[in-house]
């Protein structure tokens, strides 16, 4: 019997995964298995449908994500329970987990699972339901013996099972409670299973049932000790583990356990993980084990994994539809009732759009509503028997689940919400027939609605990349940016995201340029919401735009220096008259991530020549290789100020920059360095001692400070901080606040990031200018703080100047 289990379940089953049908693969499940995790709590009552479903974590009535227990390994949960119901989405790994348990026990290694030596019995509950439906009033243990006999195993299963149950040494694995379609029959199955469990658990036997989430509540068993858990998606570590094991198994099978196989597996692993990690849409799919397996199969067969997710979705959908149609054809359907992929797509796309309209973000519709919509669609396509076609379509869905499937009694949805969004986008794109106006008319009313954001982006990408109608796609984004439906700035940001999503090739260069101009206007306008303004800046950075773009002949961009003439000025809170006897130049912007990346690319962290003796010592002791938040895309945007750099790193950057061509004539005795306090303050406030770079009155729209995010000039900063308003705040693109320009033309000298100076006091260095985290009082030109030079905070940055190498080190007294 154990040999039978090994023969039956040893290898992964790739039937129904499309491209794999053309490739012979025998990959051992035990070599590939990645342990699953689950949450042990389930939502109750009205909160039931707010579980993680089909790739989205649904929100509660207030919009907050459901808070459940921390994920635990499913095996650890099972070890502590006599009975466990495992719930999960299609493709989440429920059945594979049962096969894994059966295989490990069959190899005699049950101790490694913490389950002891048990007899594993794996049966589908749908088969038991069929037996009951056919009039056989059969007990579950008798059915199990009959089941194995029916599938051709001439073994004494009944005797073995009876002995194992009596000894408390059985592991009963019952798969697919959701596959019992009839609700009444499902109740009967649950009652029989519950009775069987309750009787045999006392001896120490263990039971595992699996079911999809939707529909489970209606038949939820209530037996004592029968616990439930809901599978969670793969995280990054689990995706990486799967890909590594997959590629190793593939290459070992193809080439043997050789160095060449290991090398090829490593290359394939890196390529696949790169495709997953650098494409958020692909990453969402990869968190589902089934969809990750299909992705790996595509990669194995030489299907080029595209950079743009719309191409991958197109491949996924065609693969799954092709498989589905072949399965439908093999089931003996009448001639002419087996449409090709294109024809099926013409039904599924408008169906998905309708589903998204009536159930956006949830992905579930009722059977009768779905049937009526199918009739309507078949009638529109000229089918002579639309009612029969709709009934047949639903029957095929029940029999051969693929993209669309029955998620529970009377409820239908796509295997992953991503596919509903993609197909809805296809329907919108096809509705235009080469004309952008009908497409804009469908997208415009949805601007700002989160469930429609992905549909809008995919519509533009489908037009420009799949249909190769880049001009039409360009007209769509230009019209959205020009007409600006919805909240101020929202349509412009959506258009910018669509351009980024489809670039290059998805829209013409002129459309990209026009959308960039609209993004700049939205970013610099006081009207849009602060978060929208920040997102506009993020998009501009990712699109490669720079302020004062030198390629447009408007300046030196981020590298521009502003002249500051010698002379007298008012300094500090007491406005004492001071004098700087030399001219100098200050950078127009704080150092951005784009600029700092040049330093890193030039070996800035490896070359001790750029570092002071103390700085190099700190770099080595603390193992600095990059700024603290360098890997975080929200902080590391090309046109946002670099943050989380220590004073020593800022000093090293200056020393490196002094060796580079600056595009400006450097007088003798001048060098690149951090400013003194006096130099910084003179450049920030001019000569008249103004409170802020723009004048004496605070205006929240002139800088990135706590007030900008809090929404009013007289913000109570302490209450804002206690309420964690700062969690909504962050850095913004340099040059966003035109009204904050200093008299010398320097930008962002108040707010955004505190800036290191060269001035020293009591083993600390002085920072100036305030930040995104701080209130108006800290953004005054005279305000100063002292920090240890090793501090690397996400509201610290710096700005460079071109000045005398041996100029004074600035005022050290506290003038705040």
């Amino acid at each position: 019997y154990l040999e039978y289990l090994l023969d039956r379940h040893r290898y992964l089953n790739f039937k129904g995964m499309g491209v794999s049908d053309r490739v012979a693969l025998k990959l051992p499940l035990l070599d590939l298995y990645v342990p699953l995790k689950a949450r042990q709590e389930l939502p109750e009552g009205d909160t039931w449908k707010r579980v993680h479903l089909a790739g989205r974590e649904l929100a509660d009535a207030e919009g907050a994500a459901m808070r459940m227990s921390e994920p635990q390994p499913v095996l650890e949960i099972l070890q502590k329970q006599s009975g466990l119901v495992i719930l999960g989405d299609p493709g989440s790994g429920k059945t594979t987990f049962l096969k894994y348990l059966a295989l490990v026990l069959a190899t005699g290694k049950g101790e490694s699972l913490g389950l002891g030596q048990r007899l594993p019995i794996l049966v589908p509950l749908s088969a038991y339901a069929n037996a009951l439906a056919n009039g056989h009033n059969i007990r579950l243990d008798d059915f199990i013996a009959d089941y194995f006999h029916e599938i051709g195993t001439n073994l004494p299963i009944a005797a073995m099972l009876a002995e194992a149950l009596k000894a408390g040494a059985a592991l009963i694995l019952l798969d697919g409670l959701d596959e019992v379609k009839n609700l009444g029959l499902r109740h009967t199955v649950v009652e029989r299973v519950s009775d069987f469990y309750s009787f045999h658990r006392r001896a120490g036997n263990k039971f595992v049932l699996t079911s999809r989430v939707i529909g489970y509540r209606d038949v939820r068993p209530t037996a004592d000790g029968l616990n439930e858990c809901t599978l969670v998606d793969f995280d990054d570590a689990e995706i990486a583990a799967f890909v590594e094991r997959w590629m190793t198994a593939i290459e070992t099978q193809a080439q043997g356990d050789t160095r060449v196989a290991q090398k090829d597996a490593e290359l394939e692993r890196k390529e696949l993980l790169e495709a997953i990690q650098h494409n958020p849409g692909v990453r969402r799919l990869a968190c589902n084990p089934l969809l990750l397996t299909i992705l790996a199969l595509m990669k194995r067969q030489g299907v080029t994994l595209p950079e743009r997710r719309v191409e991958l979705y197109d491949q996924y959908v065609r693969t799954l539809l092709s498989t589905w149609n072949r399965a439908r054809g093999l089931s003996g359907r009448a001639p002419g009732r087996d449409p090709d992929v294109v024809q099926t797509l013409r039904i599924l796309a408008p169906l998905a759009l309708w589903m998204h309209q009536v159930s956006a973000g949830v992905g579930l519709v009722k059977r009768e509503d779905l049937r009526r919509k199918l009739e309507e669609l078949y009638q529109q396509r000229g089918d002579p028997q639309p009612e029969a076609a709709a009934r047949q379509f639903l029957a095929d869905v029940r029999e051969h689940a693929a993209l669309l499937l029955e998620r529970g009694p009377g409820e239908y949805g796509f295997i992953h919400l991503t596919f509903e969004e993609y197909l809805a986008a296809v329907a919108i794109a096809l509705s235009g027939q080469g004309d952008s106006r009908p497409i804009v008319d469908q997208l415009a009313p949805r601007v700002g609605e989160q469930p429609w954001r992905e549909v809008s982006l995919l519509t533009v990408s489908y037009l420009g990349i799949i249909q190769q109608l880049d001009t039409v796609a360009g007209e769509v984004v230009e019209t959205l940016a020009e007409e600006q439906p919805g909240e101020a700035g929202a349509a412009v940001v959506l258009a910018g995201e669509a351009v980024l999503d489809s670039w290059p090739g998805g829209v013409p260069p002129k459309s990209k340029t026009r959308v960039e101009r609209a993004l700049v206007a939205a970013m610099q306008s006081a009207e849009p919401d602060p978060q929208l303004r920040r997102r506009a800046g993020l998009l501009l950075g990712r699109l490669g735009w720079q302020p004062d773009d030198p390629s447009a002949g408007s300046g030196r961009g981020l590298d521009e220096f502003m002249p500051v003439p010698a002379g007298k000025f008012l300094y500090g809170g007491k406005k004492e008259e001071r004098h700087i006897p030399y001219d100098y130049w200050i950078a127009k912007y704080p150092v951005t991530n784009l600029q700092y990346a040049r330093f890193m690319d030039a070996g800035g962290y490896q070359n001790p020549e750029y570092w002071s003796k103390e700085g190099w010592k700190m770099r080595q002791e603390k193992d600095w290789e990059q700024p603290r938040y360098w890997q975080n895309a929200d902080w590391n945007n090309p046109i946002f100020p670099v943050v989380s750099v220590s004073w020593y790193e800022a000093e090293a950057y200056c020393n490196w920059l002094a060796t580079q061509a600056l595009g400006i004539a450097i007088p003798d005795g001048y060098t690149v360095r951090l400013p003194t306090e006096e130099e910084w303050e003179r450049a920030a406030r001019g000569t008249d001692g103004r409170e802020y770079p723009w004048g004496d009155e605070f205006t929240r729209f002139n800088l990135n400070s706590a007030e900008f995010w809090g929404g009013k000039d007289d913000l109570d900063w302490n209450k804002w901080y206690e309420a964690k308003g700062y969690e909504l705040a962050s850095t913004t693109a340099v040059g966003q606040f035109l009204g904050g320009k200093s008299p010398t033309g320097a930008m962002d000298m108040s707010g955004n990031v505190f800036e290191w100076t060269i001035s020293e006091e009591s083993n600390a260095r002085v920072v100036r200018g305030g930040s995104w985290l701080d209130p108006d009082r800290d953004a005054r030109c005279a305000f100063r703080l002292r920090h240890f030079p090793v501090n690397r905070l996400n509201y610290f940055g710096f700005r460079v100047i071109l000045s005398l190498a041996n100029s004074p080190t600035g005022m050290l007294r506290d003038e705040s």
Side-chain angles (χ1 to χ4, degrees):
Y1 170 69
L2 298 181
E3 288 176 352
Y4 157 78
L5 287 179
L6 291 172
D7 290 341
R8 181 76 181 268
H9 303 303
R10 186 190 308 269
Y11 300 106
L12 282 180
N13 180 2
F14 297 115
K15 290 181 180 179
M17 295 190 190
V19 290
S20 63
D21 296 346
R22 301 188 296 273
V23 175
L25 289 176
K26 294 185 68 176
L27 302 182
L29 187 153
L30 291 179
D31 291 347
L32 292 174
Y33 183 75
V34 174
L36 300 175
K37 292 181 180 178
R39 300 186 190 276
Q40 207 169 343
E41 298 173 9
L42 286 177
E44 297 282 354
D46 293 337
T47 67
W48 181 265
K49 288 189 178 180
R50 297 181 202 147
V51 297
H52 193 85
L53 173 65
R56 293 291 187 277
E57 189 171 9
L58 301 186
D60 62 19
E62 288 73 39
M66 277 291 301
R67 297 298 180 190
M68 302 171 73
S69 65
E70 286 301 309
Q72 306 171 57
V74 178
L75 189 56
E76 290 184 10
I77 301 174
L78 176 60
Q79 290 167 355
K80 302 171 185 176
Q81 312 295 342
S82 56
L84 185 65
V85 180
I86 300 175
L87 304 177
D89 290 333
S92 60
K94 302 183 296 295
T95 301
T96 302
F97 176 66
L98 299 190
K99 292 179 180 178
Y100 169 75
L101 294 176
L103 280 173
V104 175
L105 287 168
T107 58
K109 298 179 180 178
E111 297 292 348
S112 66
L113 300 178
L115 300 178
Q117 297 299 330
R118 295 177 178 272
L119 180 72
I121 300 289
L122 173 56
V123 294
L125 282 173
S126 59
Y128 184 41
N130 289 338
L132 294 174
N134 291 331
H136 304 297
N137 189 16
I138 186 171
R139 298 189 318 176
L140 183 56
D141 49 353
D142 292 335
F143 161 75
I144 291 173
D146 289 352
Y147 170 76
F148 282 100
H149 178 73
E150 289 293 328
I151 62 176
T153 57
N154 187 21
L155 298 168
I157 301 296
M160 285 196 301
L161 177 60
E163 186 175 331
L165 288 171
K166 184 178 179 180
L171 177 64
I172 309 298
L173 307 169
L174 305 175
D175 191 31
L177 179 61
D178 56 280
E179 294 178 15
V180 182
K181 303 305 179 186
N182 182 280
L183 183 58
L185 188 57
R186 195 181 315 180
H187 278 291
T188 302
V189 170
V190 167
E191 288 174 6
R192 298 291 180 90
V193 169
S194 297
D195 291 343
F196 185 75
Y197 160 78
S198 297
F199 182 79
H200 289 290
R201 68 180 285 252
R202 301 168 188 165
N205 298 292
K206 284 184 176 287
F207 294 76
V208 184
L209 288 79
T210 69
S211 175
R212 294 176 188 167
V213 175
I214 302 303
Y216 172 72
R217 182 189 178 200
D218 296 329
V219 293
R220 186 181 186 187
T222 57
D224 289 341
L226 188 60
N227 291 269
E228 298 149 317
C229 65
T230 303
L231 294 176
V232 299
D233 287 341
F234 273 172
D235 60 22
D236 288 336
E238 289 156 346
I239 291 172
F242 175 92
V243 171
E244 181 175 0
R245 295 177 191 184
W246 173 274
M247 293 308 174
T248 299
I250 284 276
E251 296 303 329
T252 299
Q253 183 189 93
Q255 305 181 61
D257 190 7
T258 64
R259 288 186 178 181
V260 173
Q262 294 172 5
K263 184 177 180 181
D264 289 349
E266 176 63 15
L267 178 62
E268 292 284 308
R269 181 191 71 83
K270 286 182 178 178
E271 289 180 353
L272 182 53
L273 283 179
E274 204 168 295
I276 292 169
Q277 292 166 353
H278 289 91
N279 193 319
V282 178
R283 169 63 180 79
R284 282 199 298 273
L285 293 182
C287 65
N288 178 287
L290 170 66
L291 300 180
L292 178 56
T293 301
I294 297 175
L295 184 64
L297 284 168
M298 288 180 175
K299 181 75 170 65
R300 171 60 186 164
Q301 293 182 101
V303 176
T304 301
L305 297 181
E307 290 294 325
R308 292 168 292 204
R309 69 187 188 286
V310 70
E311 295 173 305
L312 183 63
Y313 295 170
D314 186 60
Q315 291 177 1
Y316 258 120
V317 166
R318 291 179 182 277
T319 293
L320 292 171
L321 286 184
S322 177
T323 305
W324 188 43
N325 281 335
R326 282 200 298 275
R328 296 160 75 195
L330 292 173
S331 64
R333 301 179 70 223
R337 294 282 188 188
D338 188 16
D340 61 19
V341 169
V342 173
Q343 293 302 316
T344 309
L345 196 62
R346 296 283 181 168
I347 293 294
L348 276 181
L351 188 67
L353 178 58
W354 167 76
M355 290 173 66
H356 207 68
Q357 290 167 339
V358 300
S359 185
V362 177
L364 292 172
V365 293
K366 299 294 184 183
R367 179 190 289 120
E368 277 306 298
D369 294 336
L370 183 66
R371 184 189 60 77
R372 284 191 290 269
K373 185 63 181 180
L374 282 168
E375 280 186 26
E376 178 187 323
L377 292 173
Y378 276 113
Q379 192 168 33
Q380 290 172 357
R381 296 202 61 76
D383 192 290
Q385 296 178 302
E387 293 183 12
R391 285 196 301 271
Q392 183 63 57
F393 191 95
L394 287 177
D396 289 343
V397 166
R398 285 194 297 272
E399 185 69 21
H400 311 289
L403 269 175
L404 186 67
L405 40 82
E406 191 173 13
R407 286 190 165 275
E411 290 187 306
Y412 288 76
F414 284 87
I415 187 174
H416 199 286
L417 196 59
T418 290
F419 293 123
E420 179 183 294
E421 293 168 331
Y422 168 74
L423 288 167
V426 171
I428 294 173
L430 293 176
S431 70
Q433 296 294 313
D435 182 1
S436 64
R437 192 68 245 180
I439 297 169
V440 172
D441 289 344
Q442 292 182 75
L443 298 182
R446 305 293 188 177
V447 168
E449 296 180 23
Q450 188 59 30
W452 286 87
R453 174 181 172 273
E454 184 74 355
V455 174
S456 301
L457 302 185
L458 290 171
T459 298
V460 174
S461 290
Y462 188 85
L463 282 166
I465 297 169
I466 304 301
Q467 291 189 298
Q468 298 187 20
L469 298 174
D470 60 316
T471 301
V472 179
E475 291 172 358
V476 170
V477 295
E478 286 185 52
T479 304
L480 286 173
E482 180 182 341
E483 296 181 358
Q484 297 201 34
E487 180 186 356
V492 175
V493 169
L494 181 65
E497 290 173 334
V499 170
L500 180 64
D501 205 44
S502 60
W503 188 261
V507 298
K510 71 175 184 63
S511 298
K512 175 176 179 283
T513 300
R514 290 176 180 174
V515 170
E516 284 176 345
R517 290 173 184 164
L519 285 168
V520 172
M523 176 183 74
Q524 295 177 340
S525 168
E527 188 177 357
D529 176 82
Q531 287 293 342
L532 283 172
R533 293 181 65 180
R534 182 175 188 270
R535 284 170 61 189
L538 287 168
L539 285 166
L540 286 166
R542 291 166 186 162
L543 287 168
W545 176 90
Q546 289 187 38
D548 309 318
D549 188 356
S551 64
S554 55
R556 296 205 64 251
L558 296 173
D559 301 316
E560 188 167 358
F561 282 86
M562 311 307 295
V564 184
K568 297 178 180 179
F569 66 102
L570 297 180
Y571 175 84
K574 296 179 181 178
K575 298 185 179 180
E576 299 175 357
E577 186 176 281
R578 295 294 170 91
H579 180 251
I580 295 180
Y582 49 87
D583 298 339
Y584 61 99
W585 291 260
I586 191 162
K588 185 173 182 179
Y589 304 103
V591 173
T592 62
N593 291 294
L594 176 64
Q595 293 167 300
Y596 199 81
R598 299 173 192 159
F599 164 66
M600 294 175 61
D601 293 342
Y605 279 87
Q606 290 75 47
N607 192 341
E609 294 181 6
Y610 301 139
W611 298 72
S612 65
K613 183 177 179 180
E614 181 66 19
W616 186 250
K617 178 183 176 183
M618 289 293 103
R619 193 211 72 75
Q620 290 180 307
E621 284 184 3
K622 298 184 178 297
D623 198 26
W624 291 335
E625 294 291 343
Q626 59 189 13
R628 185 177 172 191
Y629 292 99
W630 191 253
Q631 298 302 324
N632 188 319
D634 281 343
W635 297 102
N636 187 3
N637 184 277
I639 60 173
F640 280 48
V642 65
V643 296
S644 301
V645 289
S646 67
W647 185 90
Y648 295 115
E649 289 164 289
E651 179 190 42
Y653 175 90
C654 291
N655 293 337
W656 164 79
L657 189 60
T659 68
Q660 308 301 302
L662 300 178
I664 184 173
I666 303 176
D668 291 340
Y670 278 63
T671 190
V672 177
R673 59 171 171 79
L674 294 173
T676 66
E677 287 197 79
E678 286 181 305
E679 290 166 335
W680 187 95
E681 190 171 321
R682 162 68 179 88
R685 72 195 303 188
T687 60
D688 56 7
R690 59 185 63 186
E691 289 293 305
Y692 300 96
W694 57 87
D696 288 327
E697 297 297 323
F698 177 76
T699 304
R700 74 181 184 92
F701 292 116
N702 283 352
L703 78 166
N704 178 6
S705 66
E707 286 79 10
F708 174 70
W709 303 101
K712 54 185 179 180
D713 287 357
D714 57 346
L715 175 78
D716 187 326
W717 182 79
N718 289 319
K719 289 184 179 179
W720 179 79
Y721 195 87
E722 288 173 4
K724 295 190 176 181
Y726 62 85
E727 291 186 349
L728 299 175
S730 186
T731 52
T732 47
V734 299
Q736 173 172 317
F737 298 92
L738 295 180
K741 184 186 297 185
S742 80
T744 57
M747 305 293 293
D748 288 84
M749 295 203 76
S750 275
N752 217 355
V753 289
F754 268 113
E755 299 177 9
W756 287 112
T757 71
I758 203 172
S759 299
E760 184 177 13
E761 182 176 351
S762 302
N763 296 319
R765 298 286 176 168
V766 177
V767 294
R768 290 295 202 108
S771 78
W772 59 269
L773 179 64
D774 299 281
D776 60 340
R777 64 175 183 267
D778 295 2
R780 291 178 295 115
C781 296
F783 186 81
R784 63 196 298 271
L785 287 175
R786 295 177 294 276
H787 273 269
F788 292 116
V790 295
N791 286 352
R792 308 172 91 214
L793 304 174
N794 61 5
Y795 51 96
F796 276 20
F798 67 100
R799 184 189 307 258
V800 303
I801 67 167
L802 184 61
S803 185
L804 286 170
N806 298 311
S807 59
T809 56
M811 297 299 297
L812 300 181
R813 295 189 306 276
D814 188 345
E815 300 287 353
S816 59

